[in-house]
Every structure is written in C-alpha cells, then in structure tokens.
Amino acid sequence: MAGTRGQVVTSLGIHLEEGVPIDLRGSLGATAFLTIGDGIEVVLGESHLRVLRDRADSALGDMALVGAAQRVLGDVGEAGAQACTAAAFARAEAEAARRAGAEEQAASAFAAAERAARAAERARDAVRAAVEAMESADDAAERARNAALTARAAVGD
C-alpha cells in the first residue's frame, strides 16, 4: 500500500464490521503497520504501539463493563414489560371478577395491577436514567480524553 510519508490525517472515523481482517506487524526503522481490510494501512511508531499496548486492557475492561450494563438494562426493560403485561391482565381479570360480584377478589386484583403498573413505570424510569447516565459518562470521558490530548500537545509530548 502506498502513502505519503509524514501525512497526518487529523480526523478520520472508521467503523469496522465483524470479519473485516486487521493485522499489526513490525517492520524496519522502529515502525509498525496496522492494516485494515485490503485498502487501509496505518504506519505507527514504537511509541504509538506502547500506548496501544498500555491502553488495551483498560479498553477491553471498559467494553466488558458497558456490555454488562447493557445486558442489565435489557433485563430491567424486559422485567418492566412483563410487569406492564401483568398489570393489564390483572386489571382485566379484576374487572371480570367485579362484574361477577367477587368484590374482594376484584379489589385484590386491582391493587396488584396498580403495584405492577408502578413497578413497570419505575423500571422504565430506571432504564431512561441509566441510558442518560451512560451517555453522559461517555461524553464526559470523550471530553476528558480530548482535553488530555490537548494538554499533551501543549507541552510537546
């Protein structure tokens, strides 16, 4: 792959689909080549590789934590949906019991329906709050990284 030596791309975003081949190999002159697919080659210096190595475990840990949080959010959302369905069922059965003259059972079913509806709403609120918190944390982390890189550039490191 040919490229212009010394060329710096200041902004580039790439999203790799699963299965896109990547490779990282060392070369002469304390350089390494990161190849992505058949058309992208990134030339890295030794210092770049050391930074990537030092940050890889942390990044993998972050990804695992986010994945776990997303699974929990899915579970909470599913539990909320089940509570909502149960509330609707309990209301319908309570209404049928009321029409049949079973007032005590109807009251109990209506109370259970209300508890389920409140639980479903709390679950929805929790998911919304968690998503907002995750987005806020991700944004704050990105801003912190950018500020750190700006500070590093200012001191010439």
Side-chain angles (χ1 to χ4, degrees):
M1 286 180 231
T4 304
R5 197 152 207 32
Q7 180 179 359
V8 176
V9 176
T10 57
S11 179
L12 174 66
I14 300 173
H15 176 80
L16 300 180
E17 298 294 327
E18 286 296 322
V20 172
I22 63 168
D23 186 39
L24 180 62
R25 62 183 168 77
S27 185
L28 299 175
T31 59
F33 296 94
L34 170 63
T35 56
I36 303 170
D38 294 328
I40 299 172
E41 182 176 86
V42 180
V43 180
L44 303 169
E46 184 177 342
S47 65
H48 300 123
L49 287 176
R50 290 185 188 285
V51 168
L52 290 173
R53 179 198 63 208
D54 293 345
R55 294 188 183 158
D57 284 341
S58 178
L60 288 168
D62 289 347
M63 291 168 66
L65 287 173
V66 168
Q70 289 173 331
R71 285 187 296 280
V72 167
L73 283 178
D75 291 347
V76 171
E78 185 176 319
Q82 289 174 357
C84 190
T85 300
F89 175 72
R91 282 188 194 107
E93 294 303 313
E95 187 58 38
R98 188 182 59 76
R99 282 193 307 270
E103 293 298 326
E104 187 176 322
Q105 292 83 359
S108 178
F110 276 125
E114 287 309 307
R115 284 192 302 275
R118 284 193 304 273
E121 188 58 35
R122 284 194 308 273
R124 283 191 292 268
D125 289 346
V127 169
R128 279 191 291 271
V131 168
E132 288 175 14
M134 288 172 69
E135 289 172 351
S136 177
D138 191 50
D139 183 56
E142 184 64 25
R143 289 175 189 261
R145 278 190 291 278
N146 289 338
L149 293 173
T150 300
R152 178 188 295 162
V155 297
D157 186 16

